[in-house]
Amino acid sequence: MCLGLLRPDIDRICHPLHRGCFSFLAFFVFLTMDQRDAEVEAVLDKHVKDSSKNTYCAPAARFLCHVAAKEENVITAPFRAALDAAEGEAGRFEVARTWIKEKRQPAPINFDLVSATVIQRYLVGLRKSDGSKPGKSTYATARSSVRFLFTLYKARMSPETDAGLSQFMKGIKRDVVERQQKGELPVREGKEPFTFELYHKVCMAM
């Protein structure tokens, strides 16, 4: 008999400490496998903050477009078909971005074929709008966006790929430092802090 129908009798005859056990049992019985899978999926989605998803979505889409152009064997057939149907580079980027944002199935790439070399080739090709090499933060975001793809599709990066990528990033950081020492890059990255004079002007204007 359904435990829910027995609830009045349970409340009448059971010790207060035991009622919670019956309530939990009733909840456990009536929670279907589909409901459990949905809750598991919701919890896993919280692994990455929404702000981080927005940050990684665009660079991850650029990585997918690079892989589609340079590493064709890595791309899955449905994702390849969607890219081929898009118009121009901007259209392909939008397809990749939407695929990631909506977490479309199947995965856009075969993660087992994403080696350290595939990721390294993408990273060394990164350039700013003027054609120069970017700074450390751009490389770090690009690497994190690739890891984000693995997390999003519950794929596991092999120890060899992870180690190769970590070693490569150490070399990237040294290269950035050398370019900063030569004056090719500003020493400070990101937004410049307010100077005292600027703070003073803002306060006087208020």
Side-chain angles (χ1 to χ4, degrees), residues 42-187:
V43 171
L44 289 174
D45 284 341
K46 296 181 184 298
H47 177 73
V48 181
K49 295 180 179 179
D50 289 339
S51 58
S52 297
K53 290 179 182 179
N54 294 332
T55 299
Y56 297 144
C57 194
R62 284 191 284 270
F63 171 72
L64 291 181
C65 290
H66 161 82
V67 171
K70 307 295 183 181
E71 312 280 352
E72 295 187 8
N73 62 313
V74 178
I75 297 295
T76 57
F79 183 61
R80 165 59 66 190
L83 290 177
D84 291 342
E87 295 184 6
E89 185 175 343
R92 289 190 290 274
F93 172 80
E94 186 60 27
V95 166
R97 190 187 69 82
T98 303
W99 201 286
I100 297 168
K101 188 174 182 179
E102 297 179 359
K103 195 181 176 182
R104 292 183 182 176
Q105 298 292 340
I109 54 178
N110 185 341
F111 289 97
D112 292 337
L113 299 180
V114 180
S115 64
T117 301
V118 170
I119 304 172
Q120 291 164 2
R121 287 171 179 167
Y122 166 66
L123 293 175
V124 296
L126 293 175
R127 292 293 184 273
K128 295 194 290 186
S129 57
D130 61 2
S132 61
K133 292 181 179 181
K136 182 170 58 178
S137 61
T138 299
Y139 289 114
T141 300
R143 178 192 61 176
S144 296
S145 69
V146 176
R147 291 188 182 277
F148 165 70
L149 277 177
F150 275 81
T151 301
L152 184 66
Y153 284 96
K154 302 180 182 67
R156 185 182 181 88
M157 184 176 289
S158 70
E160 294 80 11
T161 298
D162 189 36
L165 188 56
S166 297
Q167 183 180 14
F168 183 77
M169 289 303 298
K170 291 179 181 178
I172 284 287
K173 292 177 182 178
R174 292 193 183 98
D175 179 69
V176 169
V177 170
E178 290 177 0
R179 286 189 284 128
Q180 288 174 334
Q181 292 173 344
K182 294 177 182 178
E184 298 175 5
L185 275 177
V187 176

Side-chain angles (χ1 to χ4, degrees), residues 193-206:
F194 275 12
T195 62
F196 176 78
E197 291 78 8
L198 185 55
Y199 270 118
H200 183 264
K201 289 181 180 180
V202 170
C203 291
M204 293 298 293
M206 295 177 65

